[in-house]
Amino acid sequence: MTTFGAQTTTDDILEGRDLRGKVALVTGGASGIGEETARALAARGARVIVPVRDAEKGAAALARLRAAVPEVDIDMMPCDLASLASVRAFAAAVLAKYDRLHLLINNAGVMASPLSRTDDGFEMQLGVCHIAHFLLTKLLTPALIAGAPARIVNLSSRGHQRGGVDFDDPHFLARPYEKWLAYGQAKTANILFSVELEHRLGPQGVHAYAVHPGVISTNLGRHLTVQDREELAANMRARGVTKVDFKTIAQGAATTVFAAVDDSLAGKGGVYLEDCHVASINDDPVNAASGVRSYALDAAAARRLWDATEAWIAAGGPGDAVAAHA
Ligand SMILES: NC(=O)c1ccc[n+]([C@@H]2O[C@H](COP(=O)([O-])OP(=O)(O)OC[C@H]3O[C@@H](n4cnc5c(N)ncnc54)[C@H](OP(=O)(O)O)[C@@H]3O)[C@@H](O)[C@H]2O)c1
């Protein structure tokens, strides 16, 4: 058996695999880790659906993907994850074209943005990283069940260690906004979502995995100021970390691809992966170098988040209080 780790690339994971006949959907597949995930899956013959919110960016990504893999089978379709209406329209367009889906990679994300809200009034990081993907996944579930065995991969982050979901004020309507707490909350939500998805869909052959890809230089850092970068470095020094081991994009997307295809994970979802293996629990507040917080795997919190997210979506926003605080 091959041992995979931090240096493993997407192509290492997929070596010898034939994905012809498989349909994969990769959100955020026109940039960074998502684009590499789309390339790697398409290079093995999968048809890859990529939602994009900016047609020009999508066309540029498609040109890069075609340059890398001339026979690439990519279906780009419009979708803005900051709008529930757009997610609904996109899901309807996908279901009109595809009756089965084998891989859903919920990869798109926003990190440490200044306070902003989605069209529906949700805090942007929770709204894009979690709520939009929750709705998309629910709408596409019939196609995933039809495609079973199927997998859902939710891109989380080590940043989940910054905090759990604040069920009293998840949208920062009353408490002061703190962008890293908001990112931590959104990335914890990605893990809790994977836990509850596994509980609900696992028996139907659809398994869900949460992934920390590593630290990779992408557009994700677009909101970081010089001060943010200095604070991050100081924070790491304080924890005794002297050097960040950046991954290449192909290494960064490897854990996603591992979660999507590796046989050792068959039927074993509801877990958090890093460096191409299932991570151990780490509740040590000082050593945050790796591992998953137990609050992110808590079954009761996962159920509570599921119910809360359904309620927000049904209400079309976080509640009446948003108008007063927006
Ligand atoms: N890079 C890292 O070190 C790292 C570490 C831990 C976790 N992650 C996670 O990995 C995932 C991928 O990040 P990345 O590093 O590849 O960053 P990236 O290059 O910035 O990719 C993020 C993608 O999300 C898309 N997106 C953001 N808001 C959207 C919206 N409203 N509607 C539709 N698409 C939207 C972006 O589209 P636009 O280009 O149109 O904005 C982009 O394609 C994220 O979930 C991130 O949290 C990354």
Side-chain angles (χ1 to χ4, degrees):
M1 199 181 84
T2 321
T3 309
F4 297 130
Q7 316 291 315
T8 301
T9 67
T10 44
D11 289 338
D12 294 336
I13 302 281
L14 293 175
E15 196 183 332
R17 286 202 181 250
D18 183 355
L19 298 181
R20 281 175 298 177
K22 301 287 181 199
V23 181
L25 193 160
V26 184
T27 69
S31 170
I33 298 166
E35 182 174 327
E36 168 58 12
T37 302
R39 181 208 64 76
L41 296 173
R44 297 284 159 184
R47 165 167 273 233
V48 185
I49 307 164
V50 174
V52 285
R53 60 172 163 166
D54 178 327
E56 243 176 71
K57 272 193 190 171
L62 194 54
R64 287 192 298 273
L65 288 162
R66 288 214 170 111
V69 189
E71 66 281 12
V72 83
D73 191 3
I74 302 275
D75 189 359
M76 283 202 176
M77 298 162 85
C79 178
D80 183 351
L81 295 165
S83 154
L84 295 181
S86 181
V87 172
R88 286 195 176 96
F90 168 65
V94 170
L95 293 174
K97 259 174 119 169
Y98 301 93
D99 58 3
R100 55 194 62 202
L101 197 56
H102 305 96
L103 293 173
L104 172 59
I105 317 277
N106 290 322
N107 162 85
V110 187
M111 180 179 78
S113 48
L115 179 60
S116 55
R117 299 197 180 277
T118 67
D119 288 3
D120 308 281
F122 303 122
E123 185 281 313
M124 184 63 74
Q125 298 187 70
L126 190 65
V128 169
C129 296
H130 169 61
I131 300 171
H133 285 121
F134 179 98
L135 177 60
L136 181 64
T137 305
K138 276 202 82 179
L139 294 172
L140 296 180
T141 291
L144 287 160
I145 291 172
R151 294 190 188 184
I152 300 166
V153 182
N154 294 312
L155 266 284
S156 177
S157 167
R158 184 170 298 154
H160 81 274
Q161 297 185 352
R162 286 177 178 268
V165 175
D166 182 334
F167 286 101
D168 292 331
D169 188 13
H171 298 286
F172 293 87
L173 301 176
R175 59 181 167 146
Y177 181 66
E178 206 287 292
K179 61 191 176 187
W180 288 113
L181 268 186
Y183 187 62
Q185 169 174 262
K187 292 290 135 179
T188 295
N190 294 142
I191 308 172
L192 291 172
F193 182 38
S194 309
V195 169
E196 185 63 14
L197 271 173
E198 180 64 23
H199 176 65
R200 289 173 185 247
L201 299 184
Q204 295 171 80
V206 180
H207 295 279
Y209 306 84
V211 161
H212 166 61
V215 183
I216 307 102
S217 180
T218 64
N219 293 331
L220 193 69
R222 71 186 86 178
H223 296 295
L224 297 186
T225 61
V226 173
Q227 194 189 345
D228 287 332
R229 290 178 196 278
E230 285 169 2
E231 281 172 11
L232 284 173
N235 188 284
M236 279 188 308
R237 281 195 300 275
R239 288 191 282 114
V241 182
T242 50
K243 175 174 157 286
V244 179
D245 288 321
F246 277 96
K247 290 186 179 183
T248 64
I249 293 203
Q251 292 167 344
T255 304
T256 299
V257 171
F258 177 79
V261 305
D262 199 78
D263 299 333
S264 67
L265 296 173
K268 296 179 187 159
V271 292
Y272 169 94
L273 300 143
E274 59 190 359
D275 295 339
C276 302
H277 64 261
V278 176
S280 327
I281 297 222
N282 173 6
D283 285 331
D284 179 341
V286 180
N287 175 9
S290 63
V292 58
R293 296 294 195 229
S294 47
Y295 58 68
L297 295 174
D298 183 76
R303 248 190 333 273
R304 189 174 177 191
L305 179 65
W306 184 283
D307 292 344
T309 311
E310 279 196 326
W312 298 326
I313 291 171
D320 292 344
V322 72
H325 293 90

